[in-house]
């Protein structure tokens, strides 16, 4: 679905057509929100000052990047996001609007200090406050940058401003406009260390898990994953994909159960992929048995990768939007990558109705286990 996005002041106004990534026909989901508009409005009113470089952090599908590229063609831009779909979405929207991506630098969110020095940083408030705090700490290590954060007004309160004060510097919020506010923050010049990964154990399988700040289920083992761990299929498998791996806990257990298998860990979060790699190493698995992929489902994996077992605990939201289209894409990609006779194991909330989707796609779907809340389903490629 294309949304028309309009930004700028009367004498410098641009119109863009923007898509989410992957595109969706759901008219309620658009590629930008009022906080994007507010950040741009704020910037146009205040002016760029003497900034010649803008860093955009968590710019979902590139609405801010595309708008700034169109409004200020000579400005240096850095697009920083942990999400692979966000990178792909931004690049697709730049292309669709014939905007030049040549002097746009694309980064994940692991080393922001190296790119932010002297820049104006425009950030969308992420869902995870731990990730937000980590981002602030990294930005505090750069010098002389100014930070503008766009968010829904209902998510901005005194404790959020205090968190910014603790990890970056003094912050104040604008008046509300379209139910959003822009927070302006000025670095206090003190460099903080990045937030340390959160560590926990899965004692029943002797696994030790480390999670970077933006990893799903960072604080404890997900209850769906726990059920999945005790119901992995018996037998021998040689190529396993942990699809939407998060910290990699399912793939690590697969490596224990199928000691000769090669395991591919795939996630769209760069921090998830880095955590899975860290966990593979810290649990003493052989480095030559695993591959790590930062990808949107399985869309960019090399064509020669196929599997006889795919494990999947799919997300049921994208950013703040509740949606099952990623689960659907995961199941479709899994079917394409499975060898004949190969199995897809899925865990999901009962009410999500994944069995209907799997039955439609594979022509079969077996319930392996269930409890009051979750169900483990298995589909076979025939
Ligand atoms: C419910 S979590 C499961 C994490 C882990 N496998 C577990 O069981 O604890 C879903 C994972 O899917 C990842 N994800 C979301 N969208 C994705 C996409 N388009 N491609 C690949 N991974 C995606 C999320 O980053 C998250 O780590």
């Amino acid at each position: 679905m294309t949304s028309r996005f309009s930004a700028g002041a009367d004498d410098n106004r641009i119109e863009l057509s923007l898509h989410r990534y992957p595109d969706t026909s759901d008219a309620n989901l658009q590629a930008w929100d009022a906080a994007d508009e507010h950040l741009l409005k704020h910037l146009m009113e205040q002016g760029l000052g003497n900034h010649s470089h803008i860093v955009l952090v968590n710019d979902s599908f590139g609405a801010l990047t595309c708008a700034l590229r169109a409004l200020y063609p000579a400005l240096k831009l850095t697009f920083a996001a942990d999400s692979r779909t966000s990178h792909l979405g931004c690049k697709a929207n730049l292309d669709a609007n014939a905007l030049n991506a040549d002097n746009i630098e694309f980064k994940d969110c692991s080393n922001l200090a190296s790119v932010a020095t002297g820049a104006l940083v425009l950030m969308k408030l992420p869902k995870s406050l731990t990730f937000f705090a980590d981002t602030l700490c990294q930005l505090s290590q750069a010098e002389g940058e100014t930070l503008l954060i766009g968010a829904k007004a209902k998510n901005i309160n005194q404790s959020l401003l205090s968190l910014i004060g603790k990890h970056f510097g003094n912050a104040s919020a604008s008046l509300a406009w379209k139910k959003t506010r822009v927070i302006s923050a000025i670095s206090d010049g003190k460099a903080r260390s990045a937030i340390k990964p959160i560590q926990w154990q899965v004692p029943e399988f002797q696994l030790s898990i480390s999670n970077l700040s933006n990893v799903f289920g960072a604080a404890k083992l997900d209850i769906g994953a726990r059920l999945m761990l005790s119901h992995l299929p018996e037998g021998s498998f040689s190529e396993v994909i942990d699809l939407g791996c998060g910290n990699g806990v399912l793939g690590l257990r697969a490596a224990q159960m199928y000691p000769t298998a090669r395991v591919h860990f795939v996630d769209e979060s760069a921090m998830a992929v880095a955590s899975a790699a860290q966990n593979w190493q810290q649990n003493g698995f052989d480095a030559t048995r695993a591959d790590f992929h930062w990808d949107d489902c399985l869309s960019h994996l090399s064509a020669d990768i196929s599997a006889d077992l795919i494990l999947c605990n799919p997300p049921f939201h994208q950013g703040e939007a509740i949606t099952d289209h990623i689960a659907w894409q995961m199941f479709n990609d899994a079917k394409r990558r499975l060898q004949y006779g190969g199995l897809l194991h899925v865990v999901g909330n009962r009410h999500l109705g994944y069995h209907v989707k799997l039955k439609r796609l594979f022509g079969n779907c077996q319930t392996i286990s269930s409890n009051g809340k979750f169900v483990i389903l298995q589909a076979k490629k025939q």
Side-chain angles (χ1 to χ4, degrees), residues 85 216 222 225 242-247 249-250 266-269 272 295-297 313-315 326 329-330:
T85 44
F216 167 85
D222 174 56
D242 181 349
L243 174 53
C245 63
N247 51 43
V249 69
L250 301 178
V266 186
D267 204 287
E268 73 106 31
S269 153
D295 198 4
D296 170 30
C297 300
N313 177 4
I326 299 171
Q329 188 189 338
M330 286 182 165

Side-chain angles (χ1 to χ4, degrees), residues 60-110:
S60 308
F61 302 102
L64 293 171
T65 308
C66 290
L68 290 175
R69 174 45 71 245
L71 288 164
Y72 307 103
L75 200 62
K76 180 180 171 198
L77 299 176
T78 300
F79 173 95
D82 183 54
S83 155
R84 181 86 167 116
T85 44
S86 195
H87 281 250
L88 293 167
C90 180
K91 286 176 183 167
N93 280 323
L94 285 163
D95 261 8
N97 291 282
L99 293 166
N100 182 5
D102 284 355
N103 71 352
I104 304 180
E105 179 184 30
F106 286 87
K107 306 275 294 173
D108 62 28
C109 287
S110 61

Side-chain angles (χ1 to χ4, degrees), residues 290-352:
D291 291 297
F292 301 90
H293 311 266
W294 186 38
D295 198 4
D296 170 30
C297 300
L298 303 176
S299 47
H300 299 86
L301 256 61
S302 137
D304 58 2
I305 297 176
S306 66
D308 47 6
L309 177 63
I310 298 184
L311 305 172
C312 185
N313 177 4
F316 52 88
H317 60 83
Q318 186 181 33
E320 295 197 2
I322 308 280
T323 165
D324 63 2
H325 76 273
I326 299 171
W328 185 235
Q329 188 189 338
M330 286 182 165
F331 301 162
N332 275 285
D333 283 13
K335 186 176 174 210
R336 272 193 290 276
R337 293 283 172 173
L338 275 173
Q339 297 153 14
Y340 284 100
L343 302 179
L344 168 63
H345 253 228
V346 171
V347 61
N349 248 290
R350 276 167 170 282
H351 74 265
L352 293 170

Side-chain angles (χ1 to χ4, degrees), residues 44-55:
M44 300 300 286
E45 284 165 5
Q46 306 282 309
L48 291 180
N50 54 5
H51 291 289
S52 55
H53 178 200
I54 298 192
V55 178

